[in-house]
Amino acid sequence: MKLTPEEQAMLDGAAGWSTRKAMEILVTLGTIYGAERMVEVTSVQVAGVSYDNLGEAGLAFLAEMAEGGGRARVLTTLNPAGMDVEDWRPLGIDATFAANQQRVLEAFARMGVVTTCSCTPYLVGNLPRYGEHIAWAESSAVCYANSVLGARTNREGGPSALAAALTGRTPAYGYHLDENRRPEVTVQVNARLEENTDFGALGKVIGAKLEGRKVVPTIVGVERASLENLKSFCASIATYAGAALFHMPGITPEAERFSCPAETVAVSQDEIDAAARSLSDAEPGEVDLVSLGCPHLSLREVARIAELLEGKQVTKEFWITTARPTKQIADMMGYTQIIEAAGARIVADTCCVVAPIRGRFTALATDSAKACYYARAKNRFKTLFMPFDEVVAEALR
Ligand code: F3S
């Protein structure tokens, strides 16, 4: 790879041990993927924050990078942790796990990372602009940044994202390059999409149609999509199709740069309905955990839940997961008080997938296709997949 004098100096150790290590990671990655140079990044999102995923080996790596003088050079935020950092006891988290999770966050904080712990960093201050090069981990956020914002990122892993934070660089390959952002297949949607669940089901259908081919789709036939619909769709298409970028004419900003590819696959209403049905294997009576907030909720969604819960009482454990800054606004607006009076919880910093709750519940009710996938695969829960307002109704039933 051709490095600038500043990049070469980082590799030679002029900026300290951790920066050298970080540059070594990036040069190795760039060499593997055939990158010719580095690009400067303006924003980083680091995943692999939950101690449940990191374990001692991951924590030791972070502590070493912090100890070695590593310091974030660009705005860097964190993916969800394994617990609500301020209020973990009511979630049934044990004290040893909590102490270890705190050590993880302290290591990041020492490196100047903003410890907001959210998979929707774009809703809480880490909002890259069109065309900016960034280095994000977290598949749903990567897909949102590339597709909806028009920023440019590969799907980073935890170490490569941290390395980008400490150097302000990432290797120029993949989605950083124009030629890899071109669509290769057209997906013609012949269905009405309104709820997050419709968009989640669409992501699952596209995954099945593309059969593991990692191609950029242009998705036509979608007339309207809210921020919340797109956030749900990004999580689903990233989970079920491994997609990091799609175009949607009239909705995503880069779509107009390209014409629709000749290869076309069609998606019918029946296929969307069947995919939605396939995400439910629990009977309503089996649900003992209800959760909204995968990906983390927008303020508008929290407000809607408060409206639906006002003056009522939930009958099941109900986690409303969001970023801490969103919860702070919810506190200020009185939404938190309404939600807590109804017996539900606003849970910050974590979610029902990354928290260590494997086997603790029988069945999860959610509007998230991604949460259904991981609830079954990781946590061994059954799932009930239903529209947003119906999930709230299920908590009250
Ligand atoms: Fe976010 Fe957790 Fe879902 S990290 S996308 S809420 S699985």
Side-chain angles (χ1 to χ4, degrees):
M1 287 183 77
K2 207 165 164 283
L3 300 182
T4 64
E6 192 190 351
E7 290 159 3
Q8 187 62 52
M10 288 192 242
L11 188 60
D12 293 341
W17 182 87
S18 298
T19 311
R20 192 191 83 205
K21 267 277 172 257
M23 197 45 108
E24 283 173 4
I25 291 171
L26 298 178
V27 169
T28 304
L29 202 60
T31 307
I32 290 169
Y33 286 101
E36 292 173 0
R37 62 191 170 87
M38 298 284 175
V39 284
E40 292 194 23
V41 297
T42 52
S43 152
V44 171
Q45 164 82 356
V46 177
V49 178
S50 172
Y51 182 78
D52 200 31
N53 301 330
L54 277 173
E56 270 310 299
L59 175 55
F61 169 74
L62 294 175
E64 199 175 29
M65 294 302 264
E67 190 63 29
R71 184 98 198 147
R73 292 175 181 234
V74 296
L75 176 62
T76 301
T77 47
L78 288 183
N79 223 37
M83 63 185 199
D84 184 310
V85 174
E86 291 182 6
D87 204 16
W88 47 270
R89 277 193 183 82
L91 305 182
I93 305 291
D94 76 62
T96 309
F97 181 92
N100 286 328
Q101 184 63 73
Q102 289 291 2
R103 285 162 65 212
V104 170
L105 296 177
E106 278 158 23
F108 280 121
R110 282 173 68 195
M111 290 187 273
V113 172
V114 179
T115 52
T116 37
C117 301
S118 177
C119 51
T120 55
Y122 46 88
L123 295 180
V124 289
N126 191 352
L127 180 64
R129 294 185 57 225
Y130 182 88
E132 282 188 354
H133 294 280
I134 62 175
W136 280 20
E138 167 47 40
S139 62
S140 70
V142 164
C143 189
Y144 193 95
N146 271 325
S147 313
V148 181
L149 304 177
R152 297 182 169 215
T153 180
N154 289 318
R155 269 172 87 149
E156 301 295 342
S160 66
L162 181 63
L166 302 187
T167 58
R169 304 291 195 283
T170 197
Y173 71 96
Y175 297 111
H176 291 284
L177 306 179
D178 259 346
E179 61 264 32
N180 298 323
R181 301 183 69 83
R182 183 168 290 283
E184 295 152 280
V185 61
T186 301
V187 175
Q188 172 68 52
V189 179
N190 302 313
R192 229 177 124 79
L193 307 178
E194 282 173 1
E195 299 280 350
N196 289 346
T197 40
D198 300 328
F199 283 84
L202 174 63
K204 187 167 190 292
V205 174
I206 293 174
K209 298 244 168 197
L210 297 183
E211 296 178 322
R213 286 166 64 205
K214 297 277 183 293
V215 288
V216 177
T218 282
I219 300 163
V220 297
V222 179
E223 282 171 19
R224 269 187 315 273
S226 66
L227 180 156
E228 290 80 6
N229 295 154
L230 290 167
K231 147 169 104 63
S232 274
F233 179 63
C234 287
S236 178
I237 196 171
T239 299
Y240 292 97
L245 168 65
F246 64 86
H247 303 294
M248 221 178 241
I251 291 173
T252 65
E254 260 178 290
E256 64 194 34
R257 290 181 58 212
F258 309 105
S259 48
C260 289
E263 181 189 347
T264 302
V265 296
V267 176
S268 68
Q269 185 72 55
D270 284 352
E271 288 171 313
I272 298 273
D273 295 344
R277 279 195 304 275
S278 76
L279 290 171
S280 289
D281 62 352
E283 299 302 322
E286 289 183 304
V287 170
D288 52 358
L289 176 63
V290 176
S291 187
L292 287 167
C294 174
H296 272 175
L297 295 173
S298 68
L299 185 61
R300 187 157 53 184
E301 289 174 313
V302 177
R304 175 69 181 152
I305 296 169
E307 191 182 336
L308 293 170
L309 287 182
E310 187 153 25
K312 302 181 181 140
Q313 275 300 311
V314 300
T315 58
K316 307 174 179 78
E317 182 92 4
F318 186 7
W319 290 15
I320 295 154
T321 58
T322 192
R324 184 160 301 280
T326 306
K327 177 176 185 293
Q328 284 162 344
I329 301 173
D331 294 348
M332 189 180 83
M333 293 303 295
Y335 306 148
T336 308
Q337 290 84 333
I338 294 170
I339 288 167
E340 287 176 353
R345 300 179 200 288
I346 298 199
V347 176
D349 315 312
T350 190
C351 74
C352 65
V353 169
V354 299
I357 54 173
R358 193 170 305 131
R360 238 177 65 196
F361 298 95
T362 304
L364 168 76
T366 177
D367 73 336
S368 166
K370 175 176 178 174
C372 287
Y373 178 89
Y374 285 101
R376 293 178 184 184
K378 177 176 183 271
N379 285 334
R380 308 275 179 258
F381 303 156
K382 291 184 181 179
T383 56
L384 198 58
F385 182 62
M386 54 210 320
F388 191 92
D389 286 8
E390 287 180 34
V391 173
V392 179
E394 176 62 30
L396 293 166
R397 198 165 284 134

